[in-house]
């Protein structure tokens, strides 16, 4: 068993809308495509700590993680880059969107509209699971998560 | 950002009980402790494919993955072994338990009894999230998951 990179994705919900971001045209992978917040794990952090850091870096927003929505494996741009990803359902807490160099635009859109966007095809499993679970979850439902253990 | 190992854990539910296994005394990590099914990702498989393979190998059972319950980071036995883990809620489908070399005993126990077992302390976050989500999920609820993309 080899080591892998770990990537995270986040669908951030605010009221009845979710946040999508447009990738800059300089990005090596899928330039100018709409996506959700994504990022890679830093050293000695849990994936939940990692995605909250990425949300802050890429959008300036403070959010909380409700629960995971999908997990998977792919090669990000080549066989030397095996990646496991974990997608999370997150809830907006506070802040105004401030984009960094990775994105040029943002939109808050309805989940059903996101499911119609071809750009978001890599995120459809995550978004469909979100739609399915939201039928049953009470407001303010939230998992607890294991913190990173650094020793 | 460094690469990590990816580990998975599974709480397998059958009726109102879950499966726990006792580690052999020869194991390098936590010998003779009770645990749930755990394992590490093989090459080119998704974590969901990996945990279903591990369930088959360690217990002989066929199961399905309902949804993830926890994610985290720890060092498995040393700094050279950084590990991200994903825990899953799984449902028994068929088969009789046949243990492999990794375990000497098994038990089906109630979730509330599992939460009282000190051996299972590393699994408490997962088990508590399971208890919480089960209040709301209808029978037969199940996520879809992204398959491994191998090219």
């Amino acid at each position: 068993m080899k080591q892998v990179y770990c990537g995270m994705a986040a669908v951030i919900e605010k009221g009845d809308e979710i946040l999508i971001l447009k990738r800059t045209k300089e990005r090596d992978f899928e330039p100018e495509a709409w996506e959700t917040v994504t990022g890679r794990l830093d050293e000695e952090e849990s994936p939940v700590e990692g995605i909250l850091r990425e949300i802050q870096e890429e959008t300036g927003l403070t959010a909380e993680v409700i629960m995971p929505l999908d997990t998977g494996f792919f090669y990000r741009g080549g066989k030397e880059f095996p990646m496991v990803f974990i997608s999370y359902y997150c809830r907006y807490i506070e802040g105004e969107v401030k984009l960094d160099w990775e994105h040029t635009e943002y939109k808050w859109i309805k989940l059903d509209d996101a499911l119609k966007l071809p750009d978001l095809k890599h995120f459809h499993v995550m978004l469909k699971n979100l739609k399915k679970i939201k039928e049953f979850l009470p407001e303010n439902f939230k998992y607890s998560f294991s913190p990173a253990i650094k020793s």
Side-chain angles (χ1 to χ4, degrees), chain A residues 34-130:
Chain A
W34 287 95
E35 64 174 3
T36 68
V37 172
T38 63
R40 295 180 217 163
L41 199 69
D42 264 356
E43 289 184 42
E44 299 202 320
E45 70 181 0
S46 75
V48 164
E49 291 162 1
I51 194 63
L52 291 175
R53 174 185 51 72
E54 291 281 352
I55 289 169
Q56 186 76 54
E57 287 172 9
E58 292 189 4
T59 71
L61 300 179
T62 303
E64 60 184 347
V65 176
I66 309 304
M67 62 201 306
L69 289 172
D70 188 22
T71 60
F73 172 90
F74 68 108
Y75 289 103
R76 193 200 173 282
K79 288 279 175 177
E80 71 288 0
F81 213 143
M83 181 170 267
V84 160
F85 74 85
I86 308 170
S87 306
Y88 294 99
Y89 171 24
C90 301
R91 193 184 289 132
Y92 168 90
I93 296 178
E94 61 179 8
E96 293 294 322
V97 177
K98 290 187 198 82
L99 300 177
D100 70 0
W101 63 273
E102 296 182 68
H103 300 101
T104 53
E105 289 179 58
Y106 72 92
K107 272 187 208 165
W108 292 98
I109 64 171
K110 296 265 196 297
L111 181 53
D112 281 333
D113 293 330
L115 278 164
K116 287 176 204 147
L117 271 186
D119 273 13
L120 293 175
K121 62 183 182 296
H122 300 311
F123 302 90
H124 271 196
V125 173
M126 156 176 92
L127 296 173
K128 281 185 196 162
N129 284 335
L130 175 57

